[in-house]
Amino acid sequence: MRLLEKLEDQSPLVLDGGLATTLEQAGCNLNSSLWSSEVLKNNPVKIKEAHQAFTDAGADILLTSTYQASYQTFSDIGLKDIEIEQLFTTAVGQIMESTASTQVIVGSLGPYGAYLSDGSEYTGDYELSYEDYFKFHRARIDALITRGIHDFVFETVPKFEEVKAIVEYIVPYYKNQTFWLSVTVDDFGNLSDGTNFEDLCEYIKKHKEEIPIFGINCSSVVGVNQAIDKGLTSLPQTIALYPNGGAQYNAETKQWESKGDSHLIIEQVSKWLKQGVKIIGGCCQTTPEDIKNIHVKINA
């Protein structure tokens, strides 16, 4: 089922949770520049099991295991094109085998900062031309389209220039796909690169046709609520929220340095629904059990 069709048929919707967190709970070592793509490469059955756990928890939308899986990421570690193609085939196969026709599969597209693997998806500390952004993202999008994925989310986007490249340069290239955009914010509710969230909202509201779904992920509940106060839920787009548990991540050690509390997300669900949010799930530090609790709240 396609994403916009599902939203028309049933809303609000439950999104899945932290794939990496779920893999770590299953004993996978993600201390690598590949992050969850390390598991996709070396132990893909664990990816399938994680997807199945979110399906069993009641998720309406599942994201592919391709957040970190850019062509550039894999070529940098010496994989040949044929090997990279096989990894995309595996990623799509594992999620399709773990979902039903009533669920929606959405292709996960991490920002350029995720490829850098230095935490810059939370700072936006990088500079590319629009053409370079397009080249980086296009190969993965095309690979997923050829494997039957037609709904996508650019997620954890920290940088206004990357947002504009996506909206004005990448999305218009594709005619039969749906793109949702999810950004990261700081605890003051501003975009991670420092852009005022009000300025981002002013821009995004003009682009409902290109970006029909917009929201925030992998940010604290505090930051999400600040962004709501700054105009998030007044946008014409469908709003999607999937925060993290609030812990701090060390990009150098690839370790969480504090303990998050995913229950903070659960506690906000009823409030967010009243504010008009239509898609709710979790990001890092959230588990299938958390998604089950969100499912119960949404369907109460």
Side-chain angles (χ1 to χ4, degrees), residues 46-100:
K46 292 294 185 181
I47 299 283
K48 180 180 177 181
E49 290 171 357
H51 289 320
Q52 188 64 56
F54 287 121
T55 289
D56 295 343
D60 301 300
I61 304 169
L62 274 80
L63 305 185
T64 60
S65 56
T66 54
Y67 174 83
Q68 202 95 9
S70 70
Y71 272 75
Q72 208 162 336
T73 301
F74 289 134
S75 64
D76 281 358
I77 63 167
L79 294 189
K80 299 176 181 178
D81 284 353
I82 191 170
E83 295 172 303
I84 298 172
E85 291 286 336
Q86 182 55 51
L87 286 174
F88 281 103
T89 298
T90 299
V92 174
Q94 297 291 49
I95 198 168
M96 285 187 170
E97 290 176 13
S98 309
T99 51

Side-chain angles (χ1 to χ4, degrees), residues 2 7 24 38 71-72 75 105 116 118-120 130 168 173 185 189 194-195 202 231 243 255-256 262 264-265 272 294:
R2 293 293 301 273
L7 279 165
E24 286 175 329
E38 183 77 28
Y71 272 75
Q72 208 162 336
S75 64
I105 297 172
L116 296 175
D118 61 359
S120 55
Y130 282 10
E168 299 175 28
Y173 182 82
V185 298
T195 300
E202 189 66 27
Q255 300 289 331
W256 294 99
S262 58
L264 295 174
I265 301 171
W272 289 340
I294 291 172

Side-chain angles (χ1 to χ4, degrees), residues 111-114 116-128 133 156-160 162 184 192-194:
Y112 186 78
L116 296 175
S117 192
D118 61 359
S120 55
E121 64 260 59
Y122 305 106
T123 64
D125 189 18
Y126 48 88
E127 298 290 340
L128 279 82
Y133 280 123
T156 329
V157 180
K159 189 175 182 67
F160 196 19
E162 190 167 13
T184 54
S192 292
D193 71 349

Side-chain angles (χ1 to χ4, degrees), residues 187 219-226 243-244 246 261 264-265 268 272:
D187 283 351
S219 305
S220 69
V221 167
V222 169
V224 168
N225 284 334
Q226 289 286 336
N244 61 33
D261 185 358
L264 295 174
I265 301 171
Q268 296 294 310
W272 289 340

Side-chain angles (χ1 to χ4, degrees), residues 1-11 13 238:
M1 179 176 280
R2 293 293 301 273
L3 180 56
L4 296 182
E5 177 189 1
K6 182 71 171 177
L7 279 165
E8 288 179 4
D9 182 60
Q10 171 198 335
S11 65
L13 300 178
T238 294

